[in-house]
Amino acid sequence: MTRTSALTRPRPRSARPNTLWLLGPAMLLLIVWTQIPFILTVYHSFRRFNLLNPERQGFVGLGNFGSLLTDPIFWTSVQNTLVLVGSVLLVTVVAGLFLAVLFYQDFPGRALARTLVISPFFVMPVVSALIWKNMLMHPVYGLFARVAEGLGQRPVDWLAAYPMPSIVLMVSWQWIPFALLLILTGLQSLSKEQLEAAKIDGANAWQEFRYVIVPHLAQTLGVVVMLETIFLLTVFAEIYASTSGGPGLATTTLPYLIYLKAFGEYRIGVAAAGAVFAVVLANVVAVFVLRTIGRNLQGGRT
Amino acid sequence: MSRARRARWELTLLAYLAALVMFFPILWLFLTGLKSEGDAIAIPPKLLFTPTLESVREALARSDYARHFLNSVVSALGSTALALALAIPAAYSMAFYPTKRTKDTLLWIISTKMMPPVGVIIPVYLIFRDLRWLDNVWALALMYAVMNLPVVVWTLYAYFREIPHEIMEAARVDGAGTSQELTRVLLPVSGPAVASAALLSVILAWNEAFWSLNLTSAQASPLSVYVASFKTAEGLFWAKMSAASMIAVLPVMVMGWLAQRQLVRGLTFGAVK
């Protein structure tokens, strides 16, 4: 039986309720708390406004953007953000692919093992920062340090010596499950026959992976990369609760810098300019995600 | 044993190993939370110990812990209730009475989720300050509802559009109005969708820390803010810190286990089929 898509199905006009009443409240809330504030962010980005000196306000044109773009700290934070997002993407996609292939096969206890693997995704970011920072990576009390001592090695102060790799590890740990679950969903649409056919043609495990599985997953991997990028661009709590952007500026990402400018230095104008930049950066990716989502919507019932 | 069977065994073993590695940090937190303060800092670390609820009890007994826990419950449940109240009619309208603009509307709703919170935090903070909403748990719940509304709308919409329209038509012939159609016909068959949307919303709100860190302080702050205050490790009681974190994590982790599939579906907006 074929059904017409919900989106294209015609309806008798008379039976149509007033959709404005149904949709309006939800849309109003989103407009009031996302669209209008963003317009205000843009407005503030053109103005001088320091919360410590609120009388001295006024239009400064592109002044805030000027002082932001000429500030080396800003570029360091942009670079840190890109390194963090890029590294976590790499780790999560590779690990996610690997785990997805493992969990694609049926084996006794698969459901339990999968549940354990994806659990990090449900740990609140603040707690995961705490687990890694205090319980595992702490140079004195951390488990890693104690294991190192047990093996006669000198313990390493991971967050001081390797701040960004440590944050990448921490954030990847939380996002591997997301990549895994998405890739697993993508894999499930791969028919066993395709794999069998490859086997009959004499493909070994690696060739099967490289020439059957990976091409099949191309679209899924694209979506994983785009969605993760959007979510990773907003990583904040992990950094707040572990390194506070340090040591120095080593882990100060764009969201954290905006937070520092706004609530540490009270420089609303400069922080707003940074925020506009962050939104533009996220939108570059969001445009592509929304296009994919829109295409799938058109496809109707899934 | 044949080669193929051995390879299968190795892969299975590898999967178990991966599960252990990924879950280990959580396991370590839970184990430490069930230790006494002395066992928690023992060198070498103790794997075998007598579990005790002493640290859990002490963490719970602190009056501020109870307050933060309550704030987490209020902000998670309050925001979920509001998001559902707004999303159910919106998703119903888009699924059953689509117009030319429905697709654009839905995409627009989803696009608000792609806006980084830093893009709006400054004006929201200033508005909250002027309205005296800072450090107010209900105002925090409002922001959580805004944050989760796209996910909730999408989850419900994706379910609603699978429901045969004939059900609605039959009700309409019987003279049911819009609100009756919604409450008496649609909702009774949408239990699973509403439940998974609610579960998702509660999990995301419970774990959130950007809005809570910036908009709340002593009075309204949920567990995320309280746990973040442990970030300086010096002078900490490890077992109590772990116990406090464990109680903060455990309820939503169980929910996450139940909602794993819906969670991903909700966060991908149908981009992965």
Side-chain angles (χ1 to χ4, degrees), chain B residues 2 42 53 60 78 89 130 145 148-149 204 207 212 222 229:
Chain B
S2 74
L53 284 175
L60 283 177
D130 294 342
N148 287 333
L149 193 55
L204 294 173
N207 287 348
S212 60
S229 69

Side-chain angles (χ1 to χ4, degrees), chain A residues 6 41 106 108 119 133-134 146 296, chain B residues 8 16 42 98 119 231 257 270:
Chain A
T41 301
D106 215 358
S119 293
K133 175 180 188 269
N134 285 353
R146 291 196 250 165
N296 286 355
Chain B
R8 259 186 83 83
Y16 287 140
K231 65 178 182 168
W257 288 340

Side-chain angles (χ1 to χ4, degrees), chain B residues 42-232:
Chain B
I43 295 176
K46 277 193 178 172
L47 270 177
L48 292 173
F49 60 94
T50 333
T52 165
L53 284 175
E54 173 196 328
S55 306
V56 174
R57 220 172 292 129
E58 275 181 57
L60 283 177
R62 293 184 53 173
S63 66
D64 50 347
Y65 193 88
R67 187 174 70 238
H68 298 300
F69 191 90
L70 194 66
N71 285 335
S72 276
V73 171
V74 169
S75 57
L77 295 185
S79 65
T80 300
L82 179 59
L84 282 175
L86 296 173
I88 290 172
Y92 157 78
S93 151
M94 287 191 289
F96 293 101
Y97 303 99
T99 66
K100 286 195 300 288
R101 285 188 307 258
T102 293
K103 190 187 147 193
D104 292 332
T105 307
L106 186 58
L107 280 178
W108 174 76
I109 290 175
I110 292 170
S111 78
T112 62
K113 180 72 193 162
M114 317 239 158
M115 159 89 77
V118 285
V120 294
I121 179 65
I122 292 162
V124 168
Y125 177 86
L126 294 173
I127 294 167
F128 269 40
R129 189 191 61 166
D130 294 342
L131 292 174
R132 299 187 180 283
W133 279 8
L134 288 173
D135 206 16
N136 177 323
V137 70
W138 296 102
L140 181 69
L142 176 74
M143 282 322 286
Y144 284 175
V146 172
M147 169 183 93
N148 287 333
L149 193 55
V151 177
V152 175
V153 168
W154 164 254
T155 306
L156 294 174
Y157 170 80
Y159 185 88
F160 287 172
R161 68 175 181 175
E162 303 289 326
I163 294 177
H165 288 220
E166 290 73 23
I167 297 183
M168 296 294 175
E169 268 142 36
R172 205 165 314 120
V173 171
D174 292 344
T178 304
S179 64
Q180 284 169 316
E181 195 178 307
L182 228 172
T183 52
R184 299 221 186 120
V185 186
L186 183 60
L187 287 184
V189 297
S190 306
V194 174
S196 64
L199 221 51
L200 248 169
S201 165
V202 167
I203 293 171
L204 294 173
W206 186 278
N207 287 348
E208 204 284 333
F210 181 74
W211 292 112
S212 60
L213 282 167
N214 284 308
L215 297 178
T216 64
S217 47
Q219 282 311 309
S221 52
L223 284 172
S224 54
V225 177
Y226 177 70
V227 172
S229 69
F230 293 136
K231 65 178 182 168
T232 46

Side-chain angles (χ1 to χ4, degrees), chain A residues 59-98:
Chain A
F59 183 73
V60 291
L62 293 171
N64 291 322
F65 290 93
S67 59
L68 192 70
L69 297 178
T70 53
D71 189 345
I73 293 177
F74 170 73
W75 291 109
T76 307
S77 79
V78 172
Q79 197 191 331
N80 286 339
T81 308
L82 296 179
V83 168
L84 175 68
V85 173
S87 313
V88 173
L89 276 177
L90 189 71
V91 174
T92 53
V93 168
V94 171
L97 254 176
F98 172 75

